[in-house]
Amino acid sequence: MKTLSIAIPTHNRAHFLKEELDILLPQVLTRKEEIEIIISDNVSTDDTESMIHKYMEIYGDVLFYFRQSVPLDFEDNFDFVIEHSLGEYIYLLGDDDLHSPDFLSVLFRLMDKDYSIIHFNRLVGDEKCSNNSLFDINYEVLEDVCSSSDFIRKLTWKPNFMSSLVFKRECWINGGKLLSEGFYGYRFLGQVYLGATTLSNNCCYYYMPMLIMRNPNRTFAKKFPLFFFVGLSNIFKAVDEYIPGVLDIWLYNLHNNKVAHYMHLLSIIQIDKRFYQSKSKEFMPYLCRRQKVAYKLLTSSISNSFLRKLYNFIVKVLYKG
């Protein structure tokens, strides 16, 4: 068994994936007996396949490539690439993020401590990885080590960026036995969190940013409110059975912290009103009063141009911009 599997699901990101591999592969070669990179290509129509085959001519002993014959749901592609990995630890990596040159050396030092989950802070940038900002500011602690229950209570949604998360295979396997329906967009996080509740190992949040989260246009953007408000809420509802109180912590944050930001996430629903009208019953249990008003307004028959002006005015008045 390998110590670490870097599992990369990809689709039409050849340029970004090349940048990512050019940074990671030199680090992998220093520990090539312990690391494998597994790539699952979800029927890309760009030059992903030919690009990867060129890399495999050089790195064929550590780089393994699967090309799907029919398109998979993106979460099913996540499952596929993990199922075809062998590592004791799994790093489910997005296909467009960039790492520090010493990322793997830091990661192996942390894996030696037998944590069930390792979470990295990150810089958040645009498509060109410029104008980067620190995601989570903490000048007092470098490694925050705690039990899995305290980790989940403290961080709640923050590890929803999958490239910031490394976890034990045992955590993934155990979590798969506890999965529920409705973890929209974040099934991987729900599986990891549920699996962590079955293990006694500590977890670690490493506050030094070790990668850049690139933010290109996302094809799933119109479903992001469903992922964030419903998918994450359903995860914490399921985890609450094993860590009592975590759902209340999540809902408090959802309703009170960065409220204007979360309200703007709701505004995305006007892109596909019919879809979100059909999902109303799933949203309502998790929204506060103001969010419910916004949801009903945004799924109404009012024209989008007028609705956008009215909505922006309401948010500006309620939350002072």
Side-chain angles (χ1 to χ4, degrees), residues 7-135:
I8 308 176
T10 189
H11 176 70
N12 284 344
R13 295 272 184 82
H15 174 67
F16 293 148
L17 181 57
K18 183 179 186 303
E19 290 183 2
E20 183 174 74
L21 291 174
D22 284 343
I23 293 175
L24 278 178
L25 281 168
Q27 300 182 52
V28 169
L29 290 182
T30 64
R31 292 178 175 269
K32 67 179 183 178
E33 301 302 322
E34 301 173 88
I35 303 175
E36 62 177 2
I37 298 178
I38 314 293
I39 297 174
S40 177
D41 181 355
N42 201 7
V43 200
S44 293
T45 56
D46 61 6
D47 61 348
T48 295
E49 184 174 17
S50 59
M51 184 266 290
I52 294 299
H53 280 303
K54 290 178 181 178
Y55 278 99
M56 291 179 69
E57 292 175 3
I58 305 172
Y59 303 105
D61 53 345
V62 295
L63 182 60
F64 303 92
Y65 174 73
F66 297 89
R67 179 175 172 84
Q68 303 300 328
S69 57
V70 295
L72 299 177
D73 176 85
F74 74 92
E75 291 191 296
D76 291 337
N77 200 28
F78 292 0
D79 292 342
F80 178 92
V81 73
I82 291 176
E83 288 168 3
H84 286 76
S85 66
L86 300 172
E88 177 186 356
Y89 277 91
I90 298 167
Y91 181 27
L92 182 61
L93 174 60
D95 57 6
D96 61 348
D97 302 304
L98 300 180
H99 297 77
S100 165
D102 61 344
F103 174 78
L104 288 181
S105 64
V106 171
L107 175 57
F108 267 79
R109 179 175 63 79
L110 296 173
M111 290 191 300
D112 285 342
K113 299 181 180 180
D114 203 35
Y115 299 129
S116 58
I117 299 176
I118 301 165
H119 174 56
F120 288 101
N121 201 2
R122 70 262 196 186
L123 298 175
V124 180
D126 55 21
E127 186 168 328
K128 297 180 180 179
C129 291
S130 58
N131 301 315
N132 300 315
S133 59
L134 185 61
F135 173 75

Side-chain angles (χ1 to χ4, degrees), residues 160-316:
N160 70 339
F161 171 50
M162 69 183 192
S163 298
S164 68
L165 202 61
V166 180
F167 48 89
K168 274 185 168 291
R169 175 173 299 279
E170 187 180 4
C171 189
W172 181 260
I173 292 172
N174 292 356
K177 301 173 184 176
L178 302 173
L179 277 179
S180 304
E181 296 294 325
F183 292 178
Y184 301 115
Y186 292 118
R187 193 167 69 203
F188 77 92
L189 181 62
Q191 189 161 343
V192 171
Y193 270 3
L194 287 167
T197 67
T198 70
L199 303 178
S200 59
N201 310 61
N202 282 333
C203 302
C204 177
Y205 186 176
Y206 193 79
Y207 275 96
M208 178 69 71
M210 298 303 295
L211 69 159
I212 300 176
M213 175 183 176
R214 194 194 301 262
N215 272 322
N217 293 327
R218 302 291 186 181
T219 56
F220 56 76
K222 73 177 183 179
K223 288 189 176 181
F224 190 67
L226 178 69
F227 297 170
F228 194 85
F229 285 89
V230 180
L232 287 174
S233 296
N234 283 338
I235 287 172
F236 293 114
K237 181 179 179 180
V239 173
D240 196 82
E241 182 177 343
Y242 308 97
I243 307 176
V246 72
L247 177 60
D248 289 339
I249 293 170
W250 160 246
L251 291 178
Y252 178 84
N253 284 309
L254 188 65
H255 298 161
N256 296 283
N257 293 349
K258 299 183 179 179
V259 176
H261 170 63
Y262 294 162
M263 292 287 281
H264 281 301
L265 285 181
L266 272 181
S267 71
I268 298 172
I269 70 177
Q270 64 185 300
I271 297 173
D272 193 345
K273 288 185 180 181
R274 183 172 297 179
F275 173 79
Y276 282 102
Q277 286 169 352
S278 72
K279 294 294 182 182
S280 175
K281 289 184 179 179
E282 295 185 65
F283 272 82
M284 289 301 144
Y286 299 125
L287 301 182
C288 66
R289 181 180 60 82
R290 289 172 176 172
Q291 291 167 340
K292 288 178 180 178
V293 171
Y295 192 94
K296 291 176 181 178
L297 176 66
L298 290 164
T299 54
S300 71
S301 58
I302 301 173
S303 70
N304 280 350
S305 58
F306 178 76
L307 186 60
R308 191 174 299 110
K309 293 178 183 178
L310 177 61
Y311 180 82
N312 289 338
F313 173 76
I314 292 172
V315 170
K316 185 176 181 179

